[in-house]
């Protein structure tokens, strides 16, 4: 009955040290519940990292060569929390191939190479878990995998990047500029020194890829959909949205339309009474629309050492729990639906469109005719001359299709000295 | 590999018909995922209920005697969705004893007789699941059982009664009176014709008992803690709280203080930026504070035919998934901690206290002295003469212990013509 699983961990950074600490604290409870003792025996670090005291304190052997883990038959599970694609991918494949279960927090890796990794896990009869990769401390992937089995998910909307949500909250609540908000996020350690992946929506896009798999079993790639971040977003648009009863949030959206999937990462207008509107600062939230439950939302910290490490250790506890089953090692989720994209004609949304044009009624007339030509109804939210002597016009459209939107945008872009400075989907209540 | 589980269902009311419909819709998906076909073969109804067409449509045999289910060896699982304690309890015990798994949505039953039922399930090597019993469509119990195994929960705060939350939302947003809000809730079918269990907090208390088991493994009874509902709550207190940045919500609280548990159901002041403050109308939310994840919240519909039935069918799918394990039938959660209550000296909270007294400075002086005597610091939020010529004084205290609170309340109640018209805990951000 009494069993012991030995673990090798790659990386003793923010998450890695948290994993060691959480397991030291909660290991006994997990043993009582599962009958399995989880013990981290080895940690891979870089030569030169000063982890000797930490290792001594937790009885870890420090190693510098991955083979000391992947080729050690006494290690049953590998935890990858070093990040980046290479060599993490090769290390994870090596572990899976030698019959070790793997737990990772690496969203980049799972979003880009998930299929290959999962196939390798299945072939080698081991489990691959990555709860921490989306919305850090929120148990969203396990919830999607386990608690929606009797339901049909139709839409997932996620505030899944803490840095940008922190920035948007500071901009709207403190009237901060984009630059000041970014500086403050960096100061507080939310944003990396190179914040590109956060502010350009790439981090959110990786998570949207993973959420799409868990929601629909469909394997999309980051190149399959539009990804826009919050770089250069204007405080004036955020404030105007607010007067209309909306918060601007960076949303990772994945929607089932007919038999197809529509995904997008972009800033969007969320009605103030929508549950996502109340997600402030660095917190994350994942909102799910489904035919059975209807609306549900899961809120919590998207990052941080302890929350993220807690998700990793929960994955380890699930592996412990599965020991002794006479069934194949369970996979986190089955995904195997064909990649079918929604027809853009069938994907509808209202839009907030901010435009800057030469202050000439003739030009505005042309834009209005373009809208009418593509059957887009709208109302004006703002129409005024800017300090630079341009005319700024902001409209809110009635729901129109992706096709209509694209037609309208390209028509406007063809008009001289006219540009769309911001276009955002308007979410439903 | 291909397996079939036969199900008998008790009750074809709001939830029961939903269960039959959801299973008809999602049964194929569950079979693909688990390899097990779930088939409802029999439904127990009352003689006289007109369910013949429904039964024909879903190939159900209608039965009127529980023995047709509990003594039918071909039935593997019983679903109890008829409600009330008797005879539901006897029926569930009979099913468990004859080796059938049981799924139920019955919070009254689980709160009052959970221990006996769980022991019977363990003894007979069957599973007893009841996800739908707390917060209908929110998969909160499974989340607590599965996703907090590597974490320590310190506090659970739930908006777990949709009727009262609907009423409070209408009162604050529409300025409706308590009576009008109740009438509207009844009209919309949220509140029963006898709304006692909802407005007096009893329904929330049952759920708090169940949440306490899942959070701490501790088995408390409804008589072990204070239960107050929203009956007669004053719009003036709700509005005053609002001006101070708080929403009034009926909160089921269960807290770990030292090694003990403190539970309470009562209206409370929730800061507007707290995630629970945004739970409007009939929705439910369960907020969890834990040492690892920190803060998380689960939001969704607390009731309704489809959401509740989805939770029931998810429980059935989990039973299907467990088939073929060579381990004892899993229990929903292990609870076995001793019942230890927190020492009231160690339970701290700030309070909103509204008082009505004779308009005499001497009396107010006495109250102030009582507060000082019990070392309660406070600030005045309101101090004015009412239409009836009484003085209404509302204060917000600094955090004080349960003991101080009790001492102060009894001192004030001893003062002639003085009463505390409302006392509410103030939740932390
Ligand atoms: N931090 C969070 O809140 C959070 C939340 C969710 C998911 N994640 C994910 O968790 C993973 C780890 O994040 P983190 O924040 O813990 O990063 P981190 O603090 O930078 O830690 C990574 C550690 O791994 C080491 N490392 C990198 N490559 C290595 C190699 N080839 N051999 C040995 N050691 C190596 C790094 O050393 P050097 O510093 O010398 O490179 C560093 O000590 C990432 O995939 C991240 O996306 C993090
Ligand atoms: N409705 C919700 O949204 C919701 C949410 C969470 C949990 N629940 C729980 O789910 C359970 C069912 O609720 P519900 O809303 O579906 O109630 P319901 O609509 O009243 O349905 C119960 C059905 O069971 C029948 N029944 C009662 N006792 C019976 C007996 N001894 N033999 C045969 N049939 C019997 C009732 O018939 P009569 O009408 O003739 O008594 C009725 O048709 C309750 O435990 C409730 O607390 C409900």
């Amino acid at each position: 009955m009494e069993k012991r699983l030995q673990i090798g961990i790659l990386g003793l950074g923010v998450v890695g040290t948290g994993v060691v600490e959480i397991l030291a604290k909660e290991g006994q409870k997990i043993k009582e519940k599962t009958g399995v003792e989880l013990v981290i025996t080895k940690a891979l670090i870089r030569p030169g990292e000063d982890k000797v005291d930490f290792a001594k304190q937790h009885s870890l052997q420090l190693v510098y060569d991955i083979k000391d883990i992947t080729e050690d038959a006494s290690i049953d599970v590998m935890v990858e929390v070093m990040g980046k694609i290479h060599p993490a991918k090769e290390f994870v494949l090596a572990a899976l191939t030698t019959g070790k279960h793997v737990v990772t927090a690496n969203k980049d890796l799972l979003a880009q190479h998930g299929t290959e990794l999962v196939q390798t896990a299945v072939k080698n009869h081991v489990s691959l878990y990555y709860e921490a990769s989306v919305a850090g401390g929120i148990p969203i992937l396990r919830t999607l995998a386990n608690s929606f089995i009797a339901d049909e998910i139709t839409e997932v909307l996620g505030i899944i990047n803490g840095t940008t949500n922190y920035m948007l909250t500071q901009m709207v609540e403190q009237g901060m500029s984009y630059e000041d908000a970014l500086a403050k996020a960096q100061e507080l350690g939310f944003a990396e020194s190179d914040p590109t992946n956060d502010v350009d929506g790439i981090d959110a896009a990786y998570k949207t890829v993973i959420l799409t798999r868990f929601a629909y079993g469909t394997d999309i790639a980051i190149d399959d959909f539009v990804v826009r971040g919050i770089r250069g977003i204007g405080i004036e648009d955020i404030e105007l949205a607010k007067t209309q009863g909306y918060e601007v949030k960076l949303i990772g959206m994945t929607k089932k339309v007919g038999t197809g999937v529509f995904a997008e990462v972009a800033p969007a207008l969320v009605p103030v009474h929508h549950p996502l509107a109340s997600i402030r600062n660095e917190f994350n939230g994942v909102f799910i629309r489904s035919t059975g439950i209807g609306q549900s939302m899961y809120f919590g910290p998207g990052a941080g050492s302890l929350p993220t490490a807690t998700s990793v250790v929960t994955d380890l506890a699930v592996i412990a729990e599965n020991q002794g089953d006479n069934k194949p090692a369970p996979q986190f989720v089955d995904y195997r639906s064909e990649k079918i994209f929604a027809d853009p004609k069938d994907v509808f949304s209202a839009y907030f469109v901010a435009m800057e044009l030469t202050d000439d009624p003739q030009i505005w007339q042309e834009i209005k005719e373009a809208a009418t030509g593509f059957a887009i109804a709208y109302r004006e939210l703002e129409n005024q001359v800017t300090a630079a002597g341009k005319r700024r016009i902001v409209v809110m459209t009635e729901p129109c299709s992706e096709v209509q939107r694209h037609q309208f945008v390209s028509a406007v872009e063809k008009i001289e000295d006219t540009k769309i400075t911001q276009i955002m989907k308007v979410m439903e209540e």
Side-chain angles (χ1 to χ4, degrees), chain A:
Chain A
M1 184 68 209
E2 186 89 349
K3 225 187 116 83
R4 183 182 154 105
L5 282 184
Q6 302 206 140
I7 301 165
I9 190 167
L10 315 189
L12 286 180
V14 174
V15 180
T17 52
V19 169
V20 174
E21 280 159 4
I22 297 267
L23 195 57
K25 189 156 166 264
E26 308 295 342
Q28 183 56 30
K29 193 170 105 186
I30 295 170
K31 185 172 157 190
E32 278 164 24
K33 172 132 199 239
T34 63
V36 175
E37 189 177 358
L38 293 168
V39 187
I40 305 183
T41 55
K42 288 183 176 177
L44 178 82
I45 62 167
R46 281 198 215 275
E49 278 191 275
D50 181 19
K51 297 287 172 187
V52 174
D53 288 350
F54 185 83
K56 199 169 282 167
Q57 191 190 338
H58 292 282
S59 313
L60 302 177
Q61 183 188 343
L62 295 175
V63 301
Y64 305 90
D65 182 346
I66 185 67
K67 291 196 180 130
D68 287 330
I69 290 179
T70 50
E71 296 184 2
D72 178 347
S74 78
I75 290 186
D76 309 287
V77 187
M78 190 179 88
V79 173
E80 184 279 301
V81 281
M82 52 186 236
K84 308 272 165 59
I85 303 288
H86 303 289
K89 183 185 170 195
E90 292 70 30
F91 292 0
V92 169
L93 284 173
L96 295 171
T97 310
T98 52
K100 302 186 194 314
H101 304 289
V102 171
V103 174
T104 169
N106 196 327
K107 53 225 153 200
D108 316 34
L109 182 59
L110 261 296
Q112 293 180 59
H113 302 284
T115 308
E116 182 184 350
L117 297 176
V118 171
Q119 282 168 352
T120 309
V122 172
K123 215 167 87 190
N124 291 283
H125 313 291
V126 289
S127 295
L128 169 65
Y129 289 128
Y130 41 96
E131 177 65 84
S133 68
V134 179
I138 308 177
I140 186 64
L141 298 183
R142 193 152 278 117
T143 300
L144 286 169
N146 294 346
S147 291
F148 284 83
I149 176 172
D151 204 349
E152 305 267 346
I153 297 171
T154 55
E155 188 173 21
V156 180
L157 302 175
I159 294 179
I160 43 187
N161 180 272
T163 304
T164 46
N165 200 56
Y166 177 82
M167 290 171 61
L168 291 170
T169 307
Q170 294 297 310
M171 287 170 77
V172 68
E173 291 185 5
Q174 313 291 336
M176 248 183 219
S177 70
Y178 174 90
E179 289 73 21
D180 289 348
L182 177 56
K184 192 157 170 210
Q186 285 173 317
E187 194 186 305
L188 291 169
F190 300 141
E192 313 275 321
S193 51
D194 175 6
T196 308
N197 269 14
D198 289 329
V199 298
D200 286 343
I202 298 161
D203 176 75
Y206 288 145
K207 294 163 178 169
T208 302
V209 168
I210 298 173
L211 287 172
T212 301
R213 285 186 198 142
F214 276 74
Y216 315 121
T218 304
D219 195 22
I220 62 170
I222 193 167
D223 300 329
D224 291 331
F225 57 97
V226 169
V227 177
R228 280 195 296 133
I230 64 160
R231 196 187 284 269
I233 199 163
I235 183 83
E236 65 281 9
D237 292 327
I238 296 180
E239 279 170 358
L240 179 60
K242 186 99 193 175
T243 66
Q244 302 294 311
Y246 296 93
E247 300 279 356
V248 173
K249 297 288 187 188
L250 182 66
I251 299 288
M253 154 192 275
T254 178
K255 229 172 139 155
K256 194 94 186 228
V257 183
T259 55
V261 169
F262 176 84
E264 185 174 291
V265 171
L269 269 60
V270 177
V272 282
H273 282 319
H274 191 288
L276 284 174
S278 63
I279 313 283
R280 295 166 66 243
N281 290 324
E282 74 278 17
F283 280 97
N284 281 199
V286 180
F287 175 86
I288 297 167
R289 216 181 280 277
S290 60
T291 57
I293 295 178
Q295 302 184 8
S296 53
M297 189 183 75
Y298 305 87
F299 158 93
S305 179
L306 290 189
T308 311
T310 301
S311 286
V312 171
V313 178
T314 303
D315 282 349
L316 290 171
V318 173
I319 291 174
E321 211 152 30
N322 296 336
Q323 293 303 303
D325 280 6
N326 57 351
K327 295 196 283 196
Q331 293 308 314
F332 206 0
V333 72
D334 304 321
Y335 57 94
R336 49 184 172 197
S337 311
E338 263 183 284
K339 193 199 270 197
I340 303 178
F341 293 105
D343 187 330
K345 282 202 307 296
D346 300 334
V347 181
F348 282 81
S349 174
Y351 285 94
F352 171 104
V353 188
M355 294 166 282
E356 221 169 73
L357 41 135
T358 312
D359 186 16
D360 170 353
Q362 196 49 43
I363 304 276
W364 177 218
Q365 189 57 34
E366 266 183 65
I367 296 173
K368 288 204 271 193
E369 276 162 21
T372 314
F374 302 115
I376 295 175
Y378 60 90
R379 65 192 172 86
E380 271 178 50
L381 305 182
E382 191 181 313
N383 187 336
Q384 60 178 33
V385 180
T386 66
K390 301 281 256 173
R391 184 156 292 272
R392 173 176 148 90
I393 296 178
V394 185
V395 301
M396 177 95 82
T397 75
E398 294 289 307
C400 65
S401 74
E402 285 289 306
V403 173
Q404 287 167 288
R405 185 250 289 234
H406 282 295
Q407 290 171 325
F408 176 69
V409 168
S410 31
V412 172
E413 278 169 352
K414 282 199 197 101
I415 302 172
E416 212 176 320
D417 268 335
T418 298
K419 71 167 192 269
I420 292 182
T421 56
Q422 190 57 256
I423 177 161
M424 298 187 272
K425 283 200 159 65
V426 181
M427 300 292 150
E428 286 163 37
E429 273 283 353

